[in-house]
């Protein structure tokens, strides 16, 4: 990588370190060999004021390996197509994405794609600026019907619905993520399709409206995770909806939960 042009805002000598931190699956290791691009090469400002959505979309549509330098980027409804790595490039907490105030839909989403990596970013879902609409796709990070997905080292707060929703994906891994204070839903939701495997590991999901983790489907493993203080039910006046640290839907099978720490959830740990 050091022999290639330097993307804006990037110390090229450290690119390989951040890619290793993302623990990229060998299936998509070939993407790493591509020319990396910075969202700043496509006009992103990262000052916490400008809407950088178009710059992100243009960078992602034109490149396979997209780096996000330190800064605060206001974005919404950014689609990740197949064979893409979107990776924050900076110390923890210095690469921040924030949802555009009042904007509907997810901050980042991918649908019917394969070989997706999202890693190393702090995200503010900006729930206080939005009005909740039931059944609307407002999860902050929404990955739907994809193959070979890695969501790693994201810190998400104040989602209007869930922080991370991985739905009906094949070979999905959610690891080392933190989701706090989702306003109307669970912190992390993972559903799987028959014959696939999904893993949620080393994640924290605390103080969410509903469950810490909601699991539906087959062959899903939850390991070394923490769920505390979930089931706030701020928007459920009669407090009738039970919420757990980890909720496994009764239609699920061949799921495992190991080595998790659960405390202070409103209905049950599991």
């Amino acid at each position: 990588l050091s022999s290639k042009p330097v993307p804006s805002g990037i110390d090229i000598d450290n690119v390989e370190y951040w890619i290793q931190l993302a623990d990229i699956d060998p299936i998509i290791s070939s993407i790493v060999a591509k020319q990396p691009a910075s969202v700043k090469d496509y006009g992103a400002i990262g000052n916490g004021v400008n809407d950088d959505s178009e710059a992100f979309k243009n960078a992602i549509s034109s490149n396979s390996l997209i780096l996000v330098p330190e800064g605060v980027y206001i974005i919404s409804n950014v689609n990740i197509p197949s064979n893409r790595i979107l990776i924050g490039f900076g110390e923890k907490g210095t690469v921040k994405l924030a949802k555009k105030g009042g904007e509907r839909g997810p901050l980042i989403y991918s649908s019917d794609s394969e070989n997706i990596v999202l890693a190393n970013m702090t995200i503010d879902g900006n729930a206080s600026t939005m009005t909740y609409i039931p059944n609307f796709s407002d999860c902050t990070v929404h990955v739907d019907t994809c193959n070979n997905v890695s969501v790693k080292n994201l810190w998400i707060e104040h989602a209007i619905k869930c922080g991370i929703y991985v739905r009906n994906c094949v070979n999905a891994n959610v690891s080392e993520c933190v989701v706090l204070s989702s306003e109307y839903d669970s912190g992390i939701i993972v559903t799987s399709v028959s014959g696939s495997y999904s893993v949620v590991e080393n994640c924290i999901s605390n103080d969410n409206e509903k469950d810490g983790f909601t699991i539906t489907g087959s062959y899903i493993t939850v390991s070394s995770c923490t769920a505390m203080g979930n089931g706030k039910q701020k928007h459920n006046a009669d407090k009738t909806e039970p919420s757990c640290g980890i909720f496994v839907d009764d239609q699920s099978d061949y799921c495992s939960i190991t080595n998790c720490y659960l405390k202070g959830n409103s209905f049950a740990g599991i």
Side-chain angles (χ1 to χ4, degrees), residues 14-32:
N14 289 327
V15 169
E16 288 167 345
Y17 166 75
W18 291 107
I19 290 171
Q20 289 169 3
L21 187 62
D23 192 24
I24 291 167
D25 191 286
I27 295 174
I28 54 176
S29 61
S30 62
I31 298 174
V32 176

Side-chain angles (χ1 to χ4, degrees), residues 29-269:
S29 61
S30 62
I31 298 174
V32 176
K34 305 288 186 180
Q35 166 62 38
S38 166
V39 293
K40 288 196 171 184
D41 291 332
Y42 290 80
I45 305 300
N47 61 2
V49 178
N50 290 65
D51 183 350
D52 289 322
S53 300
E54 289 305 312
F56 269 69
K57 292 174 183 177
N58 290 336
I60 291 166
S61 67
S62 302
N63 301 276
S64 297
L65 175 56
I66 305 97
L67 307 177
V68 186
E70 295 181 3
V72 180
Y73 302 88
I74 307 298
I75 65 171
S76 60
N77 291 292
V78 172
N79 177 45
I80 311 294
S82 293
N83 303 310
R84 294 298 193 277
I85 299 171
L86 180 67
I87 180 171
F89 190 82
E91 298 297 334
K92 186 174 181 179
T94 62
V95 179
K96 300 180 181 180
L97 308 183
K99 192 167 185 179
K100 184 178 178 181
E103 193 79 8
R104 308 305 316 182
L107 185 141
I108 296 173
Y109 71 96
S110 186
S111 180
D112 297 310
S113 300
E114 62 181 2
N115 305 330
I116 303 295
V117 175
L118 306 172
N120 306 343
M121 292 173 283
T122 296
I123 298 175
D124 184 351
N126 230 342
S128 63
T129 68
M130 290 180 284
T131 301
Y132 174 65
I133 300 176
N135 302 319
F136 196 87
S137 178
D138 270 333
C139 295
T140 301
V141 175
H142 189 163
V143 183
D144 198 320
T145 323
C146 294
N147 295 342
N148 303 324
V149 175
S150 177
V151 179
K152 182 166 185 175
N153 196 25
L154 300 185
W155 183 296
I156 301 175
E157 295 187 69
H158 310 303
I160 186 69
K161 290 189 74 176
C162 61
I164 298 172
Y165 186 16
V166 177
R167 178 181 179 272
N168 294 345
C169 291
V170 176
N171 299 330
N173 182 283
V174 180
S175 62
E176 299 180 32
C177 293
V178 176
V179 178
L180 306 175
S181 305
S182 294
E183 190 71 16
Y184 281 90
D185 212 330
S186 302
I188 297 174
I189 301 175
V190 176
T191 71
S192 68
V193 296
S194 178
S196 70
Y197 292 86
S198 296
V199 176
V200 182
E201 57 186 351
N202 299 312
C203 291
I204 297 171
S205 186
N206 294 347
D207 299 319
N208 299 292
E209 174 73 356
K210 296 184 179 178
D211 308 313
F213 301 86
T214 301
I215 304 300
T216 303
S218 302
Y219 300 102
I220 301 174
T221 297
V222 182
S223 66
S224 302
C225 290
T226 297
M228 299 175 62
N230 295 292
K232 292 298 185 183
Q233 300 192 62
K234 295 181 294 183
H235 305 287
N236 183 13
D238 58 7
K239 310 295 185 185
T240 56
E241 185 171 350
S243 297
C244 307
I246 301 174
F247 176 81
V248 183
D249 184 84
D250 59 7
Q251 300 301 310
S252 302
D253 53 14
Y254 303 106
C255 295
S256 67
I257 300 170
T258 61
N259 195 36
C260 292
Y261 182 78
L262 313 168
K263 182 179 180 180
N265 300 290
S266 68
F267 180 69

